Each structure stands twice: as C-alpha cells, then as structure tokens.
Amino acid sequence: MEMTENWAEKDLKYIWHPCSQMKDYEELKPIVIDHGKGIYLYDTNGKKYYDVISSWWCNLLGHCNPTISEAIKKQVDELEHVIFANFSHKGAIRLCERLSKILPEGLCKFNFSDNGSASIECALKMSFQYHYQAGHPEKVKFMSLTDAYHGETIGALSVGGVDLYSKIYKPMLMDVVRVQAPDCFRCPYGKRRENCGCECFEHAEKAFQAHGRETAAMIVEPLLQGSAGMKVYPPLYLKKLRAICDEYNVHLIADEIATGYGRTGKMFAFDHANVSPDMMCLSKGLTGGYMPMSILVTTQKIYDAFYADYNSGRAFMHSHTYSGNPLACSAANAVLDIMEDGSVLNTARENAVYFNNMIMEKFASLKNVGEVRHIGLVNAIELVKDKTSKESFAPKLRTGYQIYKKALQKGVILRPLGDVIYFNPPLIINREDMDYVTDVALECTKEVLAG
Ligand SMILES: *Cc1c(COP(=O)(O)O)cnc(C)c1O
C-alpha cells in the first residue's frame, strides 16, 4: 500500500544524501517527490512545491516538459547508448552542429563527459597537455578566483575556492594561483558594478606578473559566482581577462556550467562581454535538467595541437563510459528545438525585469538586507547583521537554513547559500508564480529575522 508506506524512513535507512549533514534529517526528513510538472514538484503526500532553484540549477524548461520527454522516449527505442570512440550517432553530431552556430566565435570542437566536474577536469588536462605539446612544459599551474566553484572532483575542487567544500581536502589538492575575485557588494574601491572600471583587476595583473609564465590556464565562472552566494560582477572583467590571458599565452576557461543556457539573460554569459574563451564547459541546462551530460568545447587551434600520427603520443587519452550518451543528446537537441527561435529567452528577459523589480520592492528596505543583486532571472538577497557595516550574521545561527525550512513548509524551495537567499527558477516561470514565491520568501525571512 503506497499511501501507508513511510518513504522518508526507508530513504534514511539506505541513502546518504549529497552535500548534507545527515543528522539534519532527524529534524527535516527527506521530501520524497512523486512527480513534477512545470516549475512544480509534488511529494508522495500530494503536497506541491515551487522549484525556484531549478533542482540545483539544471531544470531549464520545467519538469516533465512534453517536448523533451517525447524526444527521450523516441530515442530510447532507437539507441540507448553506444561506445563513443570510433563510433558516433546522429544526435551527437546534430547537437554539435547546432551549438557551433550559437556559441561564442571560435568554439567548434566538442569533447563529451557526463557531469560538470568531469568537463572541468577535461579542460585542465587538455590545457596542460596543449602547452606541453606546444613546447611550453613550464606551464604547469592553474589560476582561479577566490570563492570560485568548479565542482567536487580533485582537480575541480583544487581550482575551487569555497572552503566549505574544499578545506578539509587541502592536502590532496593541487597548488593553485588564487586571484582575489571581484566583490561588488563589499567593493574595497567604493565603486558600483554598473559603472566601475574593474579596479579590482589589479589582483589579476599582479598574479599574471608573478605566475603568468608558468600558468597553463585561468578558469572562471563568468559574471556569476554561483556557489559563492550568487556574486555578480561586470563583463568588463572578462574582457580584461581575455586580454591578459593573450598577453601571457594562458588559456581562458569559461565554466558556463551554471551560467549557460540563458541564465544570465543571454544564451551564454560570455556573450555579454563580446569575447571568446579558449574553452567552455557546459552542463546543467544543456539537457534541460533531464540527463547527466557535459561538454567541453574548444578551438580549432587547441584541437590541432593534439592532431598527429598516433605514435607521436599526442592524443587526448581521456574518456568516460557514458560520453556522448544518445539519450542525453536527444534531450539536449530537444532543448535547442524549444529555445532556437529565441522566444523563451525573450520572455525570460522581460520577466527578469519584472522579477527583479518585485524583489527590490519587497526586500530592499528590510533592515537586514545588505544587497539585492541579479542577472537574468537569477536574483539573490544577501542578509547581513548590520546594513551599514555589511557585517554578516554568525554562521552558526544558520539564518538562511531557518528560512529554508520555513519556506519548505509553505511549499517553496529556496535552499539559500549561507545567508544568501536566491531564486534561480526555470526560464519558463510566470509572473503569478513570481508573485507567490517572493511573498512566501518575504514572509519567512521576516519571521526568522524577527525571531
Ligand atoms: C554545478 C557546477 C559544477 C559541477 O557540476 P556537477 O555536474 O555538479 O559536477 C561546476 N561548475 C559550476 C559553476 C557549477 O555550478
């Protein structure tokens, strides 16, 4: 009997959930989802949830989107998987052809993996090997921003800079050149991100002067440092990075795993800067949140440095069993079918203005709201203890977590990053739902702050 079965109990008997202190589940049981539709999820008791975090930022066009579901159903009866070395299939070929037409100029060679972190590992290894084969064996280091997030595997964690995820593993990690990231909310130069000159780029300049020669690649989350608390910085920073990377013969790797596919209001965050990276990692929105897949896209120049007789040993000997999985490719092609004519992005862009205005109106005047920041439909509200000094709440109060729990009771999934409450909804969210989720978030925030 489904109704009487205690799914949450049984879950806890077996499952070790990701990124969780399992003891927290004593108080907050796992929510067992039965089905989804659009931006809504429904649990086994029939309770409805607004998924305004896109199920970890990957759901792009709603749960159980009919177009994507149909595409996968059709594919599963034709071909579920095939080895991707020496073999190929139409879905992958078609996907790359389509992506090459919309990606920033010069990105034209596609290397498939099955999750975001794996594509980051690919990028780091590929860059290292490129320089080695191009006669620069001294280029062995990587550069990244403080507060960066690039995934959880050892290489990806090494270039990441969020202590919560990496601190304990430090002895296992690579030594990375860390560049102080832009911090527009607490800008040390007293500027505003809308019109600054990226004065903070001096940190990058110093790092390149000291380490540029021995650096293979610089990796960034363009415009939006997601896990850092949805920190937003200006496109000018990317332009400057492009220039300095060229000067020092350093690859620029764009981690667009979170920012790609319209999250920032354009198809890719790099589109805001009008420059191209040497490599771009895509995942999350790539399959609309349906199937695990990632792609590292790179240039002809980098590809050519690996192209030689087999015995020269120049091949990129990296693979994953599920590379280029046909089911994932069918989902990714369906996402492009939906987004191709630009109407989804146009509507999302218009709604983004409405959404941000509403959030500003509701939250900006609260005494503990330090900043409301936004890009595309992503909106973040940073709560602080003191608005003037911008001092944070003590982490052990877990203010964000208290708000998260309250909002869950009311059927809204917020999952704050520390004390940063954010919305990163599917692009198809409508205005009525925006009204509702911001009302609930406001109510819960006020209750927790008052308590
Ligand atoms: C999620 C994410 C990753 C890691 O992707 P996984 O599929 O979770 O391994 C890397 N970089 C960024 C910016 C991300 O948001």
Side-chain angles (χ1 to χ4, degrees):
M1 271 288 287
E2 175 124 342
M3 285 297 288
T4 54
E5 196 150 0
N6 193 332
W7 287 107
E9 286 294 280
K10 212 178 242 189
D11 171 285
L12 290 176
K13 183 166 173 201
Y14 296 108
I15 296 177
W16 191 341
H17 287 273
C19 203
S20 294
Q21 170 48 265
M22 291 309 300
K23 191 165 188 295
D24 278 348
Y25 288 71
E26 287 176 11
E27 201 194 327
L28 179 63
K29 302 279 184 235
I31 298 160
V32 184
I33 296 300
D34 182 73
H35 62 282
K37 189 78 212 152
I39 75 155
Y40 315 124
L41 293 167
Y42 299 85
D43 71 13
T44 47
N45 299 313
K47 181 173 170 182
K48 174 177 165 183
Y49 294 86
Y50 289 70
D51 184 6
V52 283
I53 56 161
S54 299
S55 281
W56 259 344
W57 317 348
C58 63
N59 188 285
L60 196 69
L61 301 162
H63 293 280
C64 295
N65 179 292
T67 306
I68 307 173
S69 296
E70 273 314 309
I72 297 172
K73 284 180 204 166
K74 183 161 171 287
Q75 182 64 46
V76 79
D77 283 331
E78 285 169 8
L79 176 68
E80 81 302 329
H81 189 62
V82 62
I83 179 174
F84 210 48
N86 277 115
F87 291 80
S88 191
H89 59 92
K90 287 179 279 184
I93 299 163
R94 216 157 63 83
L95 176 63
C96 297
E97 186 179 33
R98 297 170 85 179
L99 281 173
S100 68
K101 291 180 180 142
I102 58 171
L103 282 162
E105 207 185 322
L107 296 174
C108 59
K109 292 290 178 184
F110 297 76
N111 183 268
F112 286 74
S113 300
D114 49 21
N115 66 78
S117 306
S119 72
I120 299 289
E121 303 287 338
C122 267
L124 301 177
K125 286 174 67 181
M126 191 182 278
S127 176
F128 178 95
Q129 188 173 341
Y130 169 92
H131 288 298
Y132 179 82
Q133 290 174 179
H136 288 288
E138 76 281 6
K139 289 191 170 288
V140 295
K141 289 207 160 180
F142 296 98
M143 245 186 236
S144 64
L145 296 178
T146 53
D147 271 356
Y149 182 83
H150 299 294
E152 304 290 352
T153 51
I154 301 303
L157 206 56
S158 298
V159 287
V162 181
D163 271 356
L164 177 64
Y165 309 124
S166 58
K167 195 171 170 191
I168 192 156
Y169 308 108
K170 286 264 156 78
M172 300 169 64
L173 303 182
M174 287 190 290
D175 187 21
V176 162
V177 180
R178 200 78 59 186
V179 175
Q180 182 67 45
D183 185 354
C184 304
F185 171 40
R186 297 180 174 87
C187 179
Y189 309 87
K191 305 277 177 172
R192 296 171 53 86
R193 63 167 80 73
E194 292 75 25
N195 53 17
C196 74
C198 287
E199 285 72 8
C200 57
F201 197 74
E202 65 173 327
H203 296 295
E205 281 166 353
K206 279 185 199 130
F208 274 85
Q209 278 157 20
H211 302 288
R213 207 191 69 90
E214 49 182 353
T215 297
M218 165 94 201
I219 183 168
V220 286
E221 294 161 90
L223 305 190
L224 177 68
Q225 288 192 294
S227 299
M230 298 294 174
K231 287 170 67 180
V232 179
Y233 64 90
L236 177 62
Y237 196 91
L238 298 179
K239 277 189 202 286
K240 287 180 177 254
L241 266 183
R242 178 67 277 173
I244 205 165
C245 282
D246 286 343
E247 189 184 336
Y248 285 89
N249 185 25
V250 167
H251 289 139
L252 179 53
I253 304 171
D255 178 352
E256 293 243 15
I257 292 167
T259 52
Y261 279 80
R263 295 295 186 183
T264 66
K266 296 199 187 237
M267 195 61 181
F268 305 102
F270 255 81
D271 294 340
H272 292 271
N274 280 317
V275 291
S276 292
D278 301 291
M279 299 184 193
M280 185 184 280
C281 297
L282 299 172
S283 191
K284 292 201 164 99
L286 174 63
T287 65
Y290 265 70
M291 305 285 296
M293 181 162 82
S294 62
I295 307 181
L296 164 62
V297 200
T298 190
T299 61
Q300 186 73 41
K301 184 179 174 192
I302 290 176
Y303 176 84
D304 285 345
F306 293 74
Y307 198 88
D309 288 334
Y310 180 83
N311 286 329
S312 70
R314 286 176 164 245
F316 189 50
M317 297 303 284
H318 181 113
S319 65
H320 293 287
T321 309
Y322 284 99
S323 292
N325 176 258
L327 295 172
C329 289
S330 70
N333 274 308
V335 167
L336 291 182
D337 290 343
I338 296 167
M339 295 191 70
E340 209 152 50
D341 71 359
S343 58
V344 169
L345 251 180
N346 278 337
T347 308
R349 253 199 303 264
E350 285 165 22
N351 281 340
V353 176
Y354 176 87
F355 198 29
N356 178 249
N357 284 341
M358 165 185 295
I359 291 169
M360 286 296 289
E361 219 166 89
K362 288 181 183 171
F363 285 88
S365 64
L366 293 196
K367 100 173 175 0
N368 295 108
V369 169
E371 184 183 47
V372 175
R373 47 184 175 259
H374 71 108
I375 186 165
L377 280 168
V378 176
N379 277 267
I381 301 153
E382 178 154 350
L383 301 176
V384 291
K385 187 173 162 195
D386 185 312
K387 211 162 168 155
T388 315
S389 71
K390 301 180 180 178
E391 190 194 340
S392 305
F393 284 111
K396 69 171 190 296
L397 295 175
R398 301 183 81 189
T399 308
Y401 187 63
Q402 308 307 325
I403 296 168
Y404 170 59
K405 284 196 293 183
K406 265 202 201 300
L408 274 181
Q409 285 169 10
K410 298 178 207 255
V412 174
I413 308 176
L414 293 177
R415 212 180 155 87
L417 295 152
D419 294 338
V420 177
I421 301 163
Y422 72 87
F423 303 94
N424 186 7
L427 301 182
I428 52 139
I429 188 172
N430 64 39
R431 296 186 178 191
E432 195 184 326
D433 289 339
M434 292 177 187
D435 292 344
Y436 181 77
V437 298
T438 49
D439 274 344
V440 169
L442 179 66
E443 200 175 289
C444 298
T445 303
K446 280 181 171 169
E447 279 174 33
V448 168
L449 292 176

